[in-house]
Amino acid sequence: MRGICGWFSSSSGATARDDTLDAMLRAGRPAARKAHSYVTPDGRMAVGASSVRDACWFSGEGIAIAIVGQPVLNLRDKRVTVVDDPAFSRRVAEAYWEKGSKVLELLTGAFALTILDTTSPGTLIAIDRFGVESLSFHYDNDRMVFGSTLDAVRSFPGAASDIDVQSIYSYLYFHMVPSPRTIYADIHKLEPAQFIHLTGDGIEQGRYWEPRFSPQGSEKELRNSLNQALKSAVRDSVDGENTGAFLSGGLDSSTVVGLLAETDVSNTGAYSIGFAQDGYDEMVYARTTAEHFDIPLHEYYVTAEDVAASIPEIASAYDEPFGNSSAVPALFCARLAASNGTSTLLAGDGGDELFAGNTRYARQMLFDAYDRIPRWLRAGLVKPLFGHDVVSKLPLLRKVHSYITQAELPMPDRMETYNYLYRFDPTEVFTPEYIQQVDTTEPIEHLRSIYERAPTTSMLDRMLYLDWQITLADNDLRKVNEMCALAGVDVKYPMLDDRVVDVSTSVPPDLKLRPRGLRYFYRRAVADFLPQAVLEKKKHGFGLPFGEWLAESRELRDRVNGDLSSFKARSIVRSAFIDELQLRHQSEHAAYYGTMIWILMMLEEWLQSRGH
């Protein structure tokens, strides 16, 4: 629904024209209309922005600024938002003239930003701290082309590039292509809090922000700070009377819905998706939350037929392969809201990654206890007794052996033991021709690099930091953003407000997570606010029962079989492996093997949608 794009070249001579901007904007968002544009007379520099409510623009005095999203400028004396201050872009320009690229240190909120400076000359591009907004770029010698979507960048003359075989491997490993890679060989994505400053003197790039994990304050003080931060974040996210909220019935969405109900602006209610499948439907918790806060609840039950019909549309909506199946319920939920007149949805994404709400965090903390056993005792007694392969065949000791085997792995490798591809020898999965073209160690090396750069020594906080990049920026936020755009509604994430983030980094790790107590601190902070049933429920979310429905729905099976048959011809994954995958789906664990079938199917659907 919104986007910016443009280019910068440090060499002389025209490189493109104004109609190139039009083509880039239309490629990025087919329904987009150019709202602002700036092209230098020689064609060396340009920036354009599509029409959107949450955007700001400034041009003049040798500078052009385009910002989309919900940016906040933190000045010495006040916090300025794009909604409240008509002169927001002018303020950003003044800060840039004073601080240069360090202006980014004053910006919070969700944003993608471009500043063209004809006096230097140069250009600055950046995205927000969590990657809510996105920017991709192609850099070739002295020219950089950028855009909110890959399609926008590729539409620039000479910027199109081939499919990257390494990125296909990354997609099959992660179920998406993690930043900074894209599915295209010569185009990259900015990572959260990353900037690029390009001038005639060269290129400067880095991160303008890193979290400060610094425990401070008593638990009571931190609880009060969190509650105040959450209230402010939701209040500032409300967009008139056409605001609603996703509601899964979990802690975060229930918190957001409850705080939305407390605002003094009427809203369109909460929106929930259900599944008529045992073990998946959580509508009862959504209803409990809605009743507790006296807010209208709008429900829709997704069917197998809905899934089959929406697969091509969803696959093609993303500008690179994307395999999170919960995009389906996200789309139907957003469309339900749009049909009710909602223009903006509030989402609860981010809470688990800020306050330790995923079961894998607790599992890794249990493994960490093994490291506290003295090395001499582990080597001399524990491993000889329980670490031998013979022990793994004894039912009573199998779990002990498995625990030791996993505990011996370093972090973050240990977190990947449940990854489907991690458990297999790549030669069993991929064709010999494909294996020769890729580095199978790159995914785990990518995880290690993020984990190691985390500005903390706490294992828990390092896991959270890693998930900010992988689970949030590259997965969950991308999923919700694109499905809301497809449905025609905006989305905001109050849980990722900088004030909430600041509280989370001030909470000690042992207060965030306790044995058998996910989100210990957060639950205590909202204990008097949320319904008891929601506080006690186990984590679930918008999971899709694709594996089970695939076994029951002929319509789904026909689509899957057709896609997998076509995918075999690409000689990426061995045909025998795909056959075995389908057989195991039918005879063993439908949900587990169904996930990998979905991943392969969506890759094939995306490739077909792009004419490959």
Side-chain angles (χ1 to χ4, degrees):
M1 294 181 68
R2 57 180 171 235
I4 54 179
C5 59
W7 62 86
F8 169 83
S9 176
S10 60
S11 63
S12 60
T15 62
R17 302 177 305 177
D18 184 66
D19 56 4
T20 304
L21 273 176
D22 292 333
M24 293 176 71
L25 287 167
R26 286 195 302 271
R29 295 282 186 262
R33 295 182 179 179
K34 184 174 65 177
H36 303 283
S37 66
Y38 176 87
V39 183
T40 57
D42 60 6
R44 290 170 52 195
M45 304 171 64
V47 61
S50 59
S51 55
V52 65
R53 291 177 300 127
D54 295 326
C56 63
W57 176 269
F58 174 81
S59 62
E61 302 176 60
I63 194 172
I65 294 177
I67 309 176
V68 293
Q70 303 96 41
V72 177
L73 185 62
N74 298 280
L75 302 175
R76 294 185 185 89
D77 56 341
K78 60 181 173 179
R79 176 185 171 93
V80 180
T81 70
V82 67
V83 176
D84 296 333
D85 191 344
F88 185 90
S89 54
R90 174 76 192 199
R91 289 182 180 272
V92 174
E94 292 169 350
Y96 173 77
W97 286 323
E98 179 184 351
K99 297 178 174 292
S101 62
K102 291 187 179 297
V103 65
L104 297 170
E105 297 174 4
L106 304 179
L107 287 170
T108 56
F111 68 87
L113 168 147
T114 297
I115 299 178
L116 291 186
D117 184 354
T118 62
T119 62
S120 298
T123 186
L124 173 68
I125 65 172
I127 61 171
D128 60 83
R129 297 176 176 187
F130 282 87
V132 176
E133 297 291 337
S134 60
L135 274 179
S136 300
F137 65 96
H138 168 80
Y139 182 67
D140 182 16
N141 296 323
D142 62 349
R143 183 181 65 194
M144 180 170 67
V145 181
F146 54 87
S148 294
T149 68
L150 295 174
D151 293 334
V153 175
R154 295 186 74 242
S155 69
F156 187 91
S161 61
D162 296 330
I163 296 290
D164 183 13
V165 293
Q166 183 69 50
S167 292
I168 289 180
Y169 187 86
S170 293
Y171 164 80
L172 293 173
Y173 187 95
F174 291 109
H175 308 172
M176 48 72 186
V177 182
S179 305
R181 280 193 177 275
T182 74
I183 193 62
Y184 301 107
D186 298 318
I187 304 178
H188 296 81
K189 296 190 291 281
L190 287 181
E191 297 177 84
Q194 186 182 15
F195 74 93
I196 295 179
H197 193 200
L198 184 63
T199 67
D201 297 328
I203 186 169
E204 174 195 8
Q205 58 183 318
R207 289 178 177 79
Y208 62 85
W209 176 82
E210 288 283 18
R212 295 179 181 176
F213 293 99
S214 179
Q216 52 189 304
S218 66
E219 181 182 351
K220 183 178 180 180
E221 291 171 333
L222 289 169
R223 281 193 227 161
N224 291 336
S225 296
L226 176 60
N227 283 311
Q228 184 56 51
L230 288 169
K231 288 180 182 179
S232 299
V234 171
R235 181 193 64 230
D236 292 348
S237 298
V238 173
D239 189 4
E241 296 183 355
N242 295 321
T243 301
F246 286 102
L247 179 57
S248 68
L251 289 176
D252 297 318
S253 65
S254 295
T255 299
V256 170
V257 165
L259 293 172
L260 175 62
E262 287 189 349
T263 61
D264 56 4
V265 177
S266 61
N267 56 75
T268 65
Y271 299 88
S272 297
I273 292 298
F275 306 101
Q277 184 75 34
D278 291 343
Y280 285 86
D281 188 42
E282 292 200 312
M283 192 66 79
V284 62
Y285 294 103
R287 291 168 183 161
T288 297
T289 294
E291 182 178 354
H292 182 78
F293 293 112
D294 191 26
I295 193 170
L297 178 64
H298 308 274
E299 305 174 5
Y300 183 82
Y301 272 76
V302 174
T303 67
E305 292 68 32
D306 288 332
V307 176
S310 64
I311 284 172
E313 183 181 24
I314 291 174
S316 63
Y318 292 92
D319 56 6
E320 59 184 341
F322 187 75
N324 187 334
S325 65
S326 59
V328 175
L331 173 61
F332 280 91
C333 199
R335 280 183 168 162
L336 177 63
S339 69
N340 195 49
T342 299
S343 59
T344 300
L345 277 170
L346 307 187
D349 297 80
D352 285 332
E353 292 75 24
L354 291 179
F355 296 101
N358 290 317
T359 55
R360 61 180 174 274
Y361 303 145
R363 185 183 301 120
Q364 297 308 321
M365 299 305 287
L366 288 174
F367 287 132
D368 193 48
Y370 181 79
D371 287 337
R372 292 193 288 272
I373 300 175
R375 288 184 178 274
W376 64 267
L377 185 58
R378 275 186 275 163
L381 181 62
V382 179
K383 287 186 67 177
L385 283 177
F386 302 105
H388 199 278
D389 286 342
V390 174
V391 174
S392 68
K393 297 178 173 60
L394 302 176
L396 293 177
L397 298 178
R398 188 176 296 136
K399 288 187 176 181
V400 178
H401 173 80
S402 177
Y403 170 84
I404 292 174
T405 301
Q406 292 185 66
E408 286 284 327
L409 292 172
M411 287 290 285
D413 301 39
R414 195 166 69 209
M415 299 175 70
E416 295 302 293
T417 56
Y418 295 93
N419 184 296
Y420 196 92
L421 289 189
Y422 187 90
R423 300 163 73 106
F424 283 88
D425 183 330
T427 60
E428 297 178 21
V429 180
F430 298 96
T431 64
E433 311 91 80
Y434 181 76
I435 282 293
Q436 291 175 4
Q437 302 177 67
V438 300
D439 178 2
T440 59
T441 68
E442 184 178 277
I444 195 65
E445 290 295 339
H446 179 63
L447 294 175
R448 289 169 183 163
S449 67
I450 299 173
Y451 186 84
E452 291 302 322
R453 79 168 186 242
T456 175
T457 58
S458 159
M459 187 180 79
L460 176 61
D461 286 336
R462 280 184 165 186
M463 286 190 287
L464 298 179
Y465 181 87
L466 176 61
D467 271 350
W468 292 1
Q469 171 72 47
I470 299 298
T471 304
L472 273 176
D474 286 329
N475 197 329
D476 291 345
L477 300 182
R478 198 182 305 179
K479 171 195 70 182
V480 179
N481 285 345
E482 290 302 326
M483 293 302 94
C484 284
L486 188 57
V489 297
D490 287 335
V491 59
K492 298 182 180 181
Y493 303 93
M495 295 297 297
L496 296 178
D497 184 276
D498 58 290
R499 293 162 292 191
V500 179
V501 174
D502 287 345
V503 176
S504 77
T505 57
S506 299
V507 178
D510 62 354
L511 189 56
K512 288 176 184 168
L513 179 68
R514 292 282 173 89
R516 298 182 180 276
L518 290 174
R519 297 186 66 158
Y520 177 80
F521 166 78
Y522 188 91
R523 289 177 191 274
R524 285 169 64 88
V526 298
D528 296 331
F529 183 63
L530 297 182
Q532 193 63 30
V534 171
L535 288 166
E536 295 175 353
K537 77 177 286 290
K538 293 182 179 180
K539 178 176 173 55
H540 194 280
F542 272 2
L544 181 74
F546 171 74
E548 288 84 348
W549 284 351
L550 179 59
E552 302 166 0
S553 169
R554 181 174 179 177
E555 189 175 353
L556 266 182
R557 283 198 304 275
D558 288 346
R559 175 166 290 281
V560 167
N561 290 338
D563 283 336
L564 293 186
S565 177
S566 298
F567 188 68
K568 288 178 181 179
R570 298 184 185 276
S571 297
I572 295 172
V573 173
R574 294 173 60 245
S575 294
F577 177 82
I578 296 176
D579 293 339
E580 181 70 14
L581 184 66
Q582 290 183 283
L583 181 63
R584 292 195 174 196
H585 166 262
Q586 297 167 12
S587 61
E588 296 182 26
H589 197 305
Y592 180 73
Y593 293 105
T595 297
M596 197 62 196
I597 290 174
W598 176 274
I599 300 307
L600 296 176
M601 176 191 67
M602 294 303 279
L603 175 57
E604 176 61 26
E605 288 277 351
W606 186 86
L607 289 168
Q608 290 182 21
S609 76
R610 291 303 193 274
H612 295 290

